[in-house]
């Protein structure tokens, strides 16, 4: 047996999974929440068994120690799990990093340096890496970057139309995020349809949301930009907007840069428009006739439709559309509303299949195949991390 421990650390949480990248078998997974806050909670799942621990976890070090402790107390024992690597999700890999990397001191320094581009994400990723290396020095640690899949975007989609010297000096370009998911899902689509020349749009709709255009496995555009703020409407993020809105709010409302950052990243999107960032609530409220929720849903799905049209044009045609993540996998309403009216592009959903939401949801005579593909970022991270431990292995 060979397993990988996948660690995904957020600002106040650590998600983890112990799995076998070959058999896909998950032997344990869990979530530790509210690091650095009151009421910390760790939920550890082994099969059907759930163990809950409450405590105060001051930092990622204490959090990760609690995770290792729960493994030792309720199992499976990490020392007997045949761990070949620890795979760490890292959000921003910058211009240079185009794939997974073995973590050493130099890579830690690089992840730290890139924190200015991803101030909310890279610091907690790095904190977890540092503690994990201390606590588990005997196994290789591999960093898998959200941006890596999009490293080779064509210049015309990665470049912002601003002063070139400023862009160069401050590393301003489209990096793209959720790359692990877009890579995994686009590969799944190719496998299911048995073709490696597909023009595919992947719509990753979770709390964060992003679209990608992938031709034959190679991404040619994606909706998140220098940061995860650009693009689609998200749970709490605005996605695309006129940047002059920021100047205006600064001048007339006196909002400073931190207030604007909070407004657009944490208080916008679905939450900002109608008071909830959960698509289940939004849909229910819209159905109950609440005008703000109906508008929020319409803005959300219209933005998706626009991106589908734009990416079909970017690729010179379209063969497949894949929905994934929490909303994409579970909301027939969002899938239906966002693709309605796109028959001219060859997209025709089947109502019953869309309601079932399992595999292909387009009609048999739809020129474009539309699918629901559950994402599995942990599996993808585990596969990439295991590749380092067993370079020639499967
Ligand atoms: P994250 O980006 O946090 O990983 P997920 O991919 O888990 O997010 O997606 C979370 C979101 O999925 C929730 O905020 C919720 O809006 C949405 N969601 C989950 N289940 C459903 C459902 N049955 N119908 C509509 N939306 C759902």
């Amino acid at each position: 047996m060979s397993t990988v421990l996948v660690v995904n650390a957020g600002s106040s949480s650590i998600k983890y999974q112990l799995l076998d990248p070959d058999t896909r078998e998950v032997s344990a997974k869990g979530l530790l929440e509210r690091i650095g806050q009151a009421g910390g909670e760790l939920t550890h799942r082994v099969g059907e068994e759930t163990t809950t621990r409450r405590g105060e976890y001051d930092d990622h070090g204490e959090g990760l120690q609690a995770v290792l402790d729960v493994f030792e107390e309720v199992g499976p024992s990490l020392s007997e799990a045949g761990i070949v690597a620890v795979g760490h999700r890292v959000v921003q890999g910058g211009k240079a990093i185009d794939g997974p990397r073995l973590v050493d001191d130099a890579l830690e320094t690089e992840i730290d340096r890139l924190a200015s581009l991803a101030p909310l994400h890279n610091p907690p990723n790095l904190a977890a890496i540092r503690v994990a290396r201390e606590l588990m020095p005997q196994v290789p640690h591999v960093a898998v970057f959200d941006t890596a899949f999009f490293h080779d975007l064509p210049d015309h989609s990665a470049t912002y139309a601003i002063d070139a010297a400023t862009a160069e000096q401050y590393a301003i370009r489209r990096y793209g995020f959720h790359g692990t998911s877009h890579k995994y899902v686009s590969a799944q689509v190719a496998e299911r349809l048995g073709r490696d020349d597909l023009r595919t749009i992947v719509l990753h709709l979770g709390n964060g949301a992003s679209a990608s255009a992938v031709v034959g496995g190679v991404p040619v555009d994606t909706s998140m930009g220098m940061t995860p703020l650009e693009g689609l409407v998200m749970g709490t993020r605005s996605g695309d907007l006129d940047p002059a809105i920021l100047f205006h709010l600064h001048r007339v409302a006196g909002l400073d840069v931190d207030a604007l950052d909070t407004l657009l990243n944490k208080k916008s999107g679905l939450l900002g428009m109608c008071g909830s960032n959960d698509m289940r609530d939004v849909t229910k409220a819209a159905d109950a006739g609440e005008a703000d929720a109906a508008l929020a849903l319409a803005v959300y799905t219209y933005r998706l439709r626009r991106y589908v049209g734009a990416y079909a044009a970017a690729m010179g045609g379209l063969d497949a559309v894949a929905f994934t993540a929490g909303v994409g996998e579970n909301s027939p309403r969002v899938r239906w509303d966002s693709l309605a009216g796109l028959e001219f592009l060859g997209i025709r959903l089947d109502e019953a299949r869309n309601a079932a939401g399992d595999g292909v949801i387009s009609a048999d005579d739809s020129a474009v195949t539309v699918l629901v593909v559950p994402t599995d970022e942990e599996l993808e991270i585990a596969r990439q991390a295991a590749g380092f431990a067993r370079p020639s292995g499967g």
Side-chain angles (χ1 to χ4, degrees):
M1 181 178 57
S2 64
T3 61
V4 174
L5 179 64
V6 175
V7 177
N8 180 354
S11 57
S12 65
S13 70
I14 298 174
K15 260 202 269 187
Y16 60 91
Q17 228 178 73
L18 180 67
L19 73 161
D20 184 323
D22 299 324
T23 64
R24 299 173 166 229
E25 191 189 332
V26 176
S27 33
K29 62 178 169 181
L31 172 65
L32 184 138
E33 293 176 287
R34 289 188 285 283
I35 294 172
Q37 303 162 22
E41 186 170 296
L42 168 60
T43 314
H44 181 75
R45 289 204 179 83
V46 184
E48 302 291 295
E49 292 285 308
T50 300
T51 305
T52 306
R53 293 268 188 279
R54 293 198 171 76
E56 302 290 310
Y57 311 106
D58 284 345
D59 51 31
H60 286 79
E62 289 187 12
L64 206 57
Q65 185 62 58
V67 171
L68 298 191
D69 290 346
V70 81
F71 268 106
E72 289 318 305
E73 285 162 32
V74 302
S77 164
L78 288 179
S79 49
E80 291 162 20
I83 295 182
V84 294
V86 181
H88 295 272
R89 178 190 181 205
V90 180
V91 167
Q92 177 58 271
K95 253 179 161 171
I97 293 176
D98 60 356
R101 291 281 184 277
L102 197 62
V103 181
D104 55 15
D105 293 348
L107 189 75
E108 284 190 0
T109 305
E110 180 64 4
I111 294 170
D112 191 30
R113 197 183 64 76
L114 291 166
S116 69
L117 285 170
L120 301 177
H121 296 99
N122 273 34
N125 299 157
L126 180 58
I129 287 176
R130 286 193 164 129
V131 198
R133 285 181 76 201
E134 263 174 51
L135 296 175
M136 289 174 278
Q138 70 285 10
V139 285
H141 290 253
V142 178
V144 177
F145 295 84
D146 260 37
T147 49
F149 184 53
F150 299 116
H151 178 266
D152 295 322
L153 280 182
D155 286 343
H156 59 253
S157 68
T159 303
Y160 287 105
I162 63 168
D163 173 67
T166 305
E168 176 66 26
Q169 184 176 357
Y170 296 103
I172 293 169
R173 72 191 296 274
R174 179 178 310 286
Y175 293 100
F177 299 89
H178 288 149
T180 311
S181 178
H182 287 281
K183 181 174 168 32
Y184 176 80
V185 171
S186 55
Q188 285 285 307
V189 172
E191 197 179 309
R192 287 188 197 191
L193 302 190
R195 280 178 57 183
D196 58 11
D197 62 341
L198 293 172
R199 294 163 297 185
T200 302
I201 294 174
V202 177
L203 301 171
H204 176 112
L205 313 178
N207 254 317
S210 59
S212 66
V214 182
V215 180
V218 178
V220 297
D221 206 348
T222 191
S223 61
M224 284 178 166
M226 190 188 92
T227 78
L229 182 55
E230 192 181 348
L232 303 176
V233 177
M234 311 185 207
T236 67
R237 296 187 202 128
S238 61
D240 296 336
L241 85 174
D242 179 349
I245 292 169
L246 305 182
F247 319 146
H248 181 72
L249 285 174
H250 174 64
R251 291 187 187 120
V252 304
L255 297 187
D256 67 11
V257 63
D258 290 329
L260 291 168
D261 192 331
T262 303
L263 179 73
L264 295 187
N265 273 302
K266 304 224 163 96
K267 296 183 176 170
S268 294
L270 294 174
L271 179 72
M273 286 186 285
C274 71
S276 171
N277 62 337
D278 192 312
M279 187 54 84
R280 286 165 289 208
D281 300 339
V282 177
T283 312
K284 215 181 284 169
D287 287 342
E290 291 181 27
D292 57 352
L295 178 61
L297 187 61
V299 174
Y300 186 100
T301 53
Y302 175 65
R303 184 83 52 90
L304 280 165
R305 194 151 69 242
R306 250 176 22 187
Y307 267 92
V308 170
Y311 285 176
M315 296 188 288
L318 183 61
D319 302 300
V321 177
F323 284 93
T324 195
V327 177
E329 292 167 29
N330 296 301
S331 176
R333 174 72 174 275
V334 164
R335 296 193 296 258
W336 188 268
D337 287 4
S338 55
L339 298 186
L342 295 183
E343 288 78 10
F344 75 98
L345 280 180
I347 299 177
R348 227 165 63 72
L349 288 188
D350 178 280
E351 203 166 344
R353 287 179 188 165
N354 182 46
D358 182 22
V360 173
I361 60 169
S362 46
D364 289 337
D365 64 353
S366 180
V368 174
T369 307
V370 184
L371 309 92
V372 174
V373 178
T375 192
D376 198 337
E377 290 167 277
E378 283 77 13
L379 176 62
E380 182 62 35
I381 291 172
R383 284 176 175 167
Q384 294 191 28
F388 271 86
R390 306 167 302 178
S392 56

